[in-house]
Amino acid sequence: MGRRGRMLSTWLPAPERLIAIGDIHGDLSKARAALRVAQVLDANDHWIGGKTVVVQVGDLLDRGGEELKVIYLLEKLKLEAQSAGGDVHVLNGNHEIMNMEGDFRYVTPAGLNDFRNWAHWFTLGNLLKDKCGGLTKTPDLFHSIPVSYPEGLRARIAALRPGGPISSRFLANHRTVLVVGSSVFVHGGLLPAHMDYGLEHINQEVRDWILGKNGWRGPSYLHGANAIVWLRKYSDVKESRCDCELLNEAIASIPGAQRMVVGHTIQHRRGINSICNDTVIRVDVGLSKGCGDGEPQVLEIMNDRELRVLSAHSPLQFINAGNTTKNGIAIKDKDKIGLQSLLPDNPQQYV
């Protein structure tokens, strides 16, 4: 159940307009830039997307120093979007899992300082609550964390460990897999074995773990090269190294699915692109200044079938434009207007 008592469904109907955003990695300015490219965020950080649905495919944490600000921005937008008939969904990526398990290899000094500041105000807030009659005494934020650890490290562990304030308040409400219409969103990728286990079972099991119900370490399918959040079998920049046969088997096992949208692997110099006859769309453009400083790009899916890439500085680009594929993605030449007219008549499969 979500915070408002609604089920966190794994399956959602297709909206008229669907936006996918890749890995953000603690870069607030780039997060804003991507949301503005998607035309859902105004200059004052308010939702203007109407009934648009946004899916961010995970990895808000690490490599940047504004992770909490990014989390809070997306949460605020979610509430505003829901009031307008839209929504914002965030997935958990491998860096969220790593941080909840205490793996801080990719944390920056600015990131530690941000959590140290958060812990100061969170602790002060708890002290004030404790002075109010009738309220349950708040637990010690740093319970069982050695005092010998640096402040920023103690704060990050306290906030993000299973059952911690940030993990419980935000990350527990982020799915691991989400199916919207005919598009399957996941950070790394799905294998047929994951389908056999059950997508809803995966989402619920991960959520229970994040809430602190099942120990410190997450489920086995979150670890290793074949993990849902680590898989790269469909993400190599060279299509010849991707297992399209395995991808098609995974897609075929999900009722109504036509494509998988993944992040995790930076698409160096390509930007958002598709392979395997458009059955997988890779949306990690290395957006954050901490891992590439890539140009803001987002994937737009209209009416569950028309896919195009929106970019801050490049012409409008269609995926497999001008051709009808088995996935029903079709943009006819006569429909080209404005910047679309700059596209070649027979574009390559890659965008």
Side-chain angles (χ1 to χ4, degrees):
M1 304 295 286
R3 290 187 304 280
R4 297 187 175 186
R6 295 181 299 174
M7 292 297 296
L8 294 176
S9 176
T10 301
W11 310 79
L12 299 175
E16 180 179 342
R17 184 172 188 258
L18 178 61
I19 293 289
I21 299 176
D23 306 28
I24 292 176
H25 283 302
D27 194 326
L28 181 63
S29 63
K30 284 301 192 70
R32 285 172 169 147
L35 290 163
R36 286 172 183 147
V37 166
Q39 300 174 11
V40 297
L41 185 72
D42 70 12
N44 296 311
D45 287 351
H46 289 298
W47 178 263
I48 55 171
K51 296 182 179 180
T52 299
V53 172
V54 172
V55 179
Q56 195 281 325
V57 296
D59 276 7
L60 303 182
L61 298 180
D62 288 339
R63 303 188 187 276
E66 300 169 309
E67 300 147 294
L68 288 170
K69 296 179 178 67
V70 170
I71 291 173
Y72 276 58
L73 173 63
L74 292 176
E75 182 70 12
K76 179 178 78 76
L77 285 182
K78 180 180 183 67
L79 298 175
E80 293 181 3
Q82 289 175 344
S83 297
D87 215 334
V88 176
H89 304 286
V90 181
L91 303 185
N92 284 313
N94 61 303
H95 284 265
E96 280 72 52
I97 304 304
M98 292 167 67
N99 274 265
M100 286 185 279
E101 293 181 337
D103 185 343
F104 300 144
R105 282 176 288 171
Y106 300 98
V107 175
T108 65
L112 289 175
N113 188 59
D114 199 32
F115 275 81
R116 182 183 64 81
N117 291 335
W118 166 84
H120 168 76
W121 291 107
F122 187 85
T123 302
L124 180 60
N126 283 344
L127 290 173
L128 293 173
K129 289 178 184 178
D130 288 343
K131 294 181 180 296
C132 299
L135 295 180
T136 303
K137 185 174 177 60
T138 55
D140 178 16
L141 176 65
F142 299 105
H143 172 69
S144 76
I145 302 175
V147 295
S148 59
Y149 287 7
E151 281 188 83
L153 182 59
R154 293 186 79 218
R156 196 173 183 99
I157 294 172
L160 293 172
R161 60 182 169 181
I166 296 297
S167 56
S168 297
R169 172 68 175 80
F170 299 104
L171 305 186
N173 292 299
H174 296 171
R175 298 167 180 83
T176 305
V177 186
L178 179 63
V179 183
V180 184
S182 60
S183 300
V184 183
F185 295 89
V186 62
H187 184 70
L190 293 172
L191 298 174
H194 299 140
M195 309 298 122
D196 295 338
Y197 194 76
L199 301 186
E200 291 183 331
H201 187 195
I202 288 171
N203 276 337
Q204 188 59 51
E205 203 167 65
V206 174
R207 174 176 164 78
D208 287 344
W209 165 65
I210 295 174
L211 289 172
K213 299 179 180 180
N214 296 313
W216 184 273
R217 188 169 174 81
S220 60
Y221 47 76
L222 298 178
H223 304 97
N226 289 330
I228 291 173
V229 295
W230 284 98
L231 192 73
R232 300 188 193 272
K233 291 182 182 292
Y234 317 137
S235 302
D236 197 290
V237 174
K238 291 188 177 181
E239 183 172 0
S240 60
R241 297 176 180 172
C242 296
D243 195 334
C244 293
E245 183 177 348
L246 185 64
L247 171 66
N248 289 331
E249 184 181 350
I251 290 288
S253 64
I254 305 173
Q258 294 183 348
R259 68 190 71 89
M260 194 177 296
V261 181
V262 301
H264 186 48
T265 303
I266 300 174
Q267 302 299 301
H268 289 289
R269 295 183 295 279
R270 287 197 180 276
I272 295 176
N273 64 83
S274 68
I275 62 166
C276 302
N277 292 321
D278 303 325
T279 50
V280 63
I281 317 295
R282 293 93 68 86
V283 297
D284 183 2
V285 296
L287 187 64
S288 170
K289 290 185 285 293
C291 57
D293 198 16
E295 176 187 357
Q297 289 186 338
V298 302
L299 173 69
E300 179 186 64
I301 303 177
M302 297 295 296
N303 300 309
D304 204 30
R305 66 182 184 86
E306 297 176 1
L307 283 68
R308 62 181 186 174
V309 178
L310 307 182
S311 174
H313 305 294
S314 302
L316 185 67
Q317 302 175 70
F318 289 98
I319 290 183
N320 214 19
N323 298 299
T324 301
T325 74
K326 67 178 182 179
N327 296 320
I329 303 170
I331 303 294
K332 298 180 180 179
D333 289 346
K334 67 181 180 63
D335 295 330
K336 292 183 179 181
I337 59 174
L339 293 176
Q340 301 172 38
S341 63
L342 299 177
L343 293 173
D345 290 332
N346 295 299
Q348 297 179 354
Q349 180 179 5
Y350 286 102
V351 179

